[in-house]
Amino acid sequence: MPHTHHLLIVDRDPVDAQAVLTSLRRLGPFHVEWVTTLNAAVVRLGNGGIGAVALNHFLSETQTKDELDALSAAAPHVPILVICAVREEALAIRAVGFGAHDYLLDDRADASLLARALGNIVVQRALEQALFVERERASVALDAIGDGVLGMDTSGHVTYLNVVAEAMTGWCREDAQGRPIADVFTVIDGITREAAKNPMEVAIEHDRTVRAAGNCILVRRDGFESAVETSAAPIHNQLAQLVGAVVVLHDTGAPKAVLQQIAHLAQHDFLTSLPNRMLLNDRLAQAIARARRHSSRICVLFLDVDRFKHVNDSLGHMVGDRVLQVVGERLTACVRSSDTVSRLGGDEFVVVLPDLEHADDHTIAVTRILSALSTPYVIGNHVVHAPASIGASRYPEDGLDADTLIKHADIAMYAAKDGGRGRCQFFTHDMNLRAAEHEFIEGSLRPALERGEFALQYQPKVRLDNGAITGVEALIRWWHPERGPIAPSQFVPVAEECGLILPIGNWVLRQACLQARAWADAGLAPVSVAVNVSALEFKSKEFLDGVRMIIEETRVEPNWIELELTETALMQDAHAAAGTLRALKDIGIQLAVDDFGTGYSSLSYLQKFPVDALKVDRTFVHEISGHPHDSTIVSAVIALGKTMKKRVIAEGVESKAQLDFLITHGCHEGQGFYFHRPMVSEHVAMLIDSRMPRSRTDQPSAGLDALDGALPAHVLPATRTKRPAALIQN
């Protein structure tokens, strides 16, 4: 049975209305009602049951909008058909703009056409209503599920979000509608942190359902990240044409967050949250690939915080850790967002500056970094000065892969430190030779200690007023089985850098004590043996106990041993140094300040140091005759020593002119080639036996002229240890 359409005609003219009623009733299943006023129409619509309204010649020029609004308010979903004269078509068009569904001109409004038009709008509205109901039902269902649902069209614009998707993306449906999908829906790879491809784009591209990998991270509008699993499918219309896609987002919750955290920790430094070595290598490799494609350049900076170990040792690891965090923050603030700041470990950082167009594009970043890191760090109640030394390498000049660029920047950083710290040094290819030598020495030091390749030689010290030998300084020598002699100036700095100076220094002190004991046991007059102590040894927590143990085990008299410490080592932490020196004096050991005049001693602290002697650095002594400034320094040190009642020892005396100057100014002792070269223990014994008084008194002894007969190093007979003569070079 055909469905009956209920129509309402609004017409002031009964004749016109009756004609329409008669025509409609004859043509189809129409139930037609007629009213003559707008108010009556509003009342009737309010009672319901009407499927469509025909306004027959009822529009007014001034009140069209108000009239239509009144009808729509009474029945919002009932379509309105406007019937008017041809001359009123413009008014009818306006009526459609105000909410009418369609219009019909009266010269075409015969019964058949009118019935068809009204039937069409009724059916269309019914279909729209049914579609609306279905959409509402679908929307309620989608909002009820626990997953987010997001749709887009083939042009890449958002068409739909359910309430869960609104919460997950941070976008409300109204704001997101019509926006580019990339604005609303952002996913990244949970491991690489790179942007992941939108699964809806993949579904549209391949016209099939796709599931993304399980490591997706959805980035909310405010930056919050959540781990999700995604599934996307294409959408087709009734003609099987592709019109868009929909994605379902499933929040994987806490377990995924844990995996995400693990992935983050695997690629980031735990203290600073900066990329670690693994992520650095990956990003640098990507930068190299881009540079190769686009013929651009890369600069790699290797940074080391100067004096950081001193900060840790003196202020504690909590302050040190905070300094490292601030270093990371300052570095990040100095570079572009596309650059990478990484912490390799300890106080070492690497900065990668990719996509540079010109060779000097790195200059601004380097200048900013040096300036930022030279600014003191205020950590709690401490003000810490810890600038950085920077080594730089460039792609493609200094390397074509990540490992080479980092290695060469590291090598250049050491050159920066050697050049004065707090500066930037670019890699040069001759640095490779020095680096290879450094690696060879570092790799050979420990085996050398284990295989007994080290030996001690001894350089006598003499009194300048009478030529008596006052003691000897123990000097370490290394004879490598393949390379032969390696100078202390080559291997001692390397030993200090890698920490092997501690066992080596321990070995030197023990051997010196054993030799002093052996000379005494052989019946020779006791002789003072001086041993150099590095800053690293002096600051070691085991230093004092180690000295006590060696003194006890070797049975040497403590006052036969003199420890020489540099002025710089003592002043790194003058308060702590004073306490350690007093403890050494309590043992009975003699103390000397080595290389005096090259550091920055505070005289107030120097007076508190219980030292016995000051050693004038050889560089000042060497220039006595040629540089008045250096001669002034030497005379001032001698005068200072006398005032403080300390022995003054001049190192590196090589000429008669130097000796005369020292004697004239009252220097107590001298040491250098003018008197004796370093020699092996047997020759020291011979020299002591022939030249030194048998008791440690001021008895007369051989004068300076008599020393001319001392055995020079180059004519000494072969030693019992069969060490080559090259070992005795200073």
Side-chain angles (χ1 to χ4, degrees):
M1 181 176 181
H3 178 72
T4 301
H5 303 300
H6 292 263
L7 307 178
L8 176 65
I9 296 177
V10 185
D11 196 337
R12 296 188 181 90
D13 187 341
V15 176
D16 289 344
Q18 187 60 47
V20 172
L21 287 173
T22 301
S23 298
L24 288 176
R25 286 170 180 163
R26 280 201 311 264
L27 292 175
F30 291 100
H31 175 76
V32 184
E33 299 182 32
W34 167 51
V35 294
T36 59
T37 66
L38 186 64
N39 289 336
V42 170
V43 171
R44 178 62 189 90
L45 288 173
N47 294 330
I50 299 299
V53 176
L55 290 180
N56 190 22
H57 296 277
F58 206 90
L59 294 178
S60 63
E61 185 71 33
T62 59
Q63 296 182 338
T64 299
K65 184 177 185 306
D66 294 339
E67 293 165 350
L68 291 173
D69 286 346
L71 293 173
S72 295
H77 303 295
V78 174
I80 301 173
L81 177 67
V82 173
I83 303 171
C84 63
V86 174
R87 66 179 182 279
E88 297 177 319
E89 185 172 10
L91 183 59
I93 293 173
R94 287 178 57 199
V96 171
F98 293 144
H101 189 83
D102 201 353
Y103 71 91
L104 189 65
L105 300 180
D106 60 1
D107 64 335
R108 303 172 189 168
D110 58 27
S112 177
L113 183 59
L114 179 58
R116 189 179 303 113
L118 287 171
N120 286 342
I121 65 173
V122 170
V123 171
Q124 184 178 353
R125 182 50 60 96
L127 290 175
E128 291 176 355
Q129 184 65 25
L131 180 60
F132 173 78
V133 171
E134 288 301 317
R135 284 178 175 173
E136 283 296 297
R137 184 180 294 117
S139 180
V140 170
L142 290 175
D143 286 343
I145 65 175
D147 293 334
V149 179
L150 189 147
M152 77 172 198
D153 58 27
T154 53
S155 63
H157 293 86
V158 176
T159 58
Y160 176 77
L161 285 85
N162 70 348
V163 292
V164 177
E166 287 181 323
M168 295 177 73
T169 62
W171 286 85
C172 69
R173 191 176 307 174
E174 290 75 14
D175 289 345
Q177 190 83 20
R179 281 185 174 271
I181 192 68
D183 291 353
V184 178
F185 180 63
T186 303
V187 286
I188 61 175
D189 189 290
I191 297 177
T192 66
R193 307 291 297 173
E194 298 293 329
K197 191 160 186 178
N198 184 337
M200 287 185 289
E201 294 175 348
V202 178
I204 290 174
E205 179 181 355
H206 298 286
D207 196 10
R208 63 178 176 83
T209 300
V210 296
R211 291 184 179 275
N215 57 350
C216 282
I217 302 296
L218 176 67
V219 183
R220 200 167 64 191
R221 188 176 185 179
D222 60 3
F224 177 81
E225 298 180 1
S226 57
V228 295
E229 292 178 348
T230 64
S231 177
I235 299 175
H236 302 86
N237 63 13
Q238 64 271 27
L239 300 178
Q241 297 170 330
L242 189 64
V243 295
V246 65
V247 66
V248 177
L249 309 173
H250 177 65
D251 191 335
T252 57
K256 199 69 172 184
V258 172
L259 293 177
Q260 179 185 350
Q261 182 68 13
I262 292 173
H264 179 83
L265 292 175
Q267 295 187 314
H268 293 78
D269 171 55
F270 75 97
L271 179 64
T272 62
S273 291
L274 294 173
N276 61 12
R277 184 183 295 272
M278 181 173 70
L279 186 53
L280 167 69
N281 286 335
D282 180 68
R283 291 190 179 177
L284 183 50
Q286 293 182 37
I288 291 172
R290 289 197 307 274
R292 190 178 295 118
R293 288 195 304 270
H294 304 300
S295 299
S296 59
R297 311 171 71 90
I298 303 169
C299 183
V300 176
L301 307 178
F302 196 109
L303 297 91
D304 183 272
V305 181
D306 297 331
R307 300 181 66 248
F308 180 72
K309 190 176 187 307
H310 172 65
V311 173
N312 258 351
D313 292 344
S314 59
L315 301 179
H317 288 279
M318 291 186 64
V319 173
D321 286 350
R322 183 56 189 146
V323 168
L324 294 177
Q325 290 172 336
V326 177
V327 168
E329 293 166 3
R330 292 184 181 181
L331 288 176
T332 303
C334 288
V335 299
R336 304 166 300 178
S337 59
S338 58
D339 301 331
T340 295
V341 178
S342 169
R343 179 184 176 224
L344 298 189
D347 60 335
E348 294 179 338
F349 295 79
V350 170
V351 177
V352 177
L353 308 173
D355 306 318
L356 305 177
E357 295 184 4
H358 305 99
D360 58 351
D361 283 353
H362 57 269
T363 305
I364 295 176
V366 171
T367 303
R368 285 176 179 169
I369 289 171
L370 287 173
S371 175
L373 298 188
S374 65
T375 304
Y377 303 84
V378 179
I379 312 296
N381 296 325
H382 305 286
V383 178
V384 180
H385 296 267
S389 296
I390 304 177
S393 64
R394 290 163 289 194
Y395 173 90
E397 297 95 324
D398 303 327
L400 300 177
D401 59 82
D403 289 342
T404 302
L405 288 171
I406 294 174
K407 176 184 176 182
H408 286 172
D410 187 11
I411 291 172
M413 184 272 294
Y414 281 103
K417 283 187 177 293
D418 293 341
R421 300 176 182 267
R423 56 192 292 269
C424 179
Q425 173 68 54
F426 279 87
F427 174 80
T428 58
H429 287 281
D430 63 341
M431 292 179 182
N432 264 334
L433 299 176
R434 295 196 296 271
E437 179 70 8
H438 185 286
E439 290 180 5
F440 170 80
I441 290 175
E442 182 174 343
S444 302
L445 277 173
R446 190 176 298 279
L449 189 60
E450 295 170 352
R451 294 195 294 254
E453 296 173 8
F454 293 113
L456 291 186
Q457 290 188 343
Y458 303 88
Q459 186 174 37
K461 295 180 288 186
V462 302
R463 280 185 53 168
L464 298 187
D465 60 350
N466 62 14
I469 293 178
T470 60
V472 296
E473 180 180 356
L475 301 170
I476 189 171
R477 298 293 185 261
W478 181 11
W479 179 264
H480 191 274
E482 298 174 0
R483 294 277 296 273
I486 299 178
S489 60
Q490 291 179 274
F491 70 82
V492 169
V494 178
E496 290 179 339
E497 288 177 14
C498 67
L500 282 175
I501 196 65
L502 298 177
I504 291 175
N506 192 68
W507 179 87
V508 170
L509 180 58
R510 182 179 296 276
Q511 293 302 116
C513 290
L514 288 171
Q515 187 60 66
R517 180 75 260 172
W519 284 328
D521 291 345
L524 299 176
V527 59
S528 171
V529 181
V531 176
N532 288 282
V533 177
S534 71
L536 200 62
E537 292 176 85
F538 185 64
K539 291 187 295 183
S540 171
K541 296 178 181 179
E542 294 78 26
F543 176 67
L544 269 176
D545 290 339
V547 171
R548 291 191 184 99
M549 182 176 67
I550 291 173
I551 295 293
E552 293 173 3
E553 291 178 354
T554 59
R555 298 182 298 107
V556 72
E557 292 296 326
N559 65 325
W560 296 354
I561 302 300
E562 183 174 67
L563 299 183
E564 296 184 357
L565 301 114
T566 64
E567 184 180 7
T568 302
L570 293 175
M571 293 308 299
Q572 284 183 358
D573 188 345
H575 180 73
T580 303
L581 294 177
R582 285 192 292 271
L584 291 170
K585 289 302 294 182
D586 291 341
I587 297 173
I589 291 174
Q590 299 182 69
L591 301 170
V593 180
D594 197 12
D595 299 338
F596 189 78
T598 60
Y600 302 92
S601 294
S602 164
L603 290 180
S604 62
Y605 266 109
L606 191 59
Q607 289 177 321
K608 297 176 183 178
F609 292 158
V611 297
D612 303 287
L614 306 178
K615 296 191 74 174
V616 184
D617 186 72
R618 65 179 64 248
T619 56
F620 299 134
V621 174
H622 181 69
E623 301 293 344
I624 281 177
S625 56
H627 293 76
H629 172 71
D630 289 328
S631 62
T632 302
I633 292 176
V634 173
S635 59
V637 172
I638 295 171
L640 179 63
K642 288 180 178 180
T643 301
M644 300 177 64
K645 303 188 185 310
K646 314 289 185 185
R647 291 169 23 239
V648 179
I649 307 167
E651 292 184 290
V653 181
E654 298 180 358
S655 69
K656 183 72 162 53
Q658 293 169 356
L659 176 62
D660 291 342
F661 180 93
L662 295 170
I663 292 175
T664 299
H665 287 82
C667 184
H668 303 107
E669 301 176 31
Q671 177 184 351
F673 288 176
Y674 185 77
F675 309 115
H676 301 281
R677 289 178 178 272
M679 60 186 70
V680 295
S681 60
E682 294 90 339
H683 300 141
V684 174
M686 295 167 56
L687 188 63
I688 294 173
D689 191 46
S690 62
R691 303 293 183 184
M692 187 173 181
R694 293 290 176 175
S695 61
R696 307 269 314 218
T697 67
D698 287 333
Q699 295 177 10
S701 62
L704 290 174
D705 293 338
L707 289 177
D708 292 340
L711 293 174
H714 64 277
V715 298
L716 290 176
T719 67
R720 195 163 52 210
T721 57
K722 303 297 182 183
R723 300 283 178 182
L727 272 174
I728 65 177
Q729 299 303 313
N730 193 27

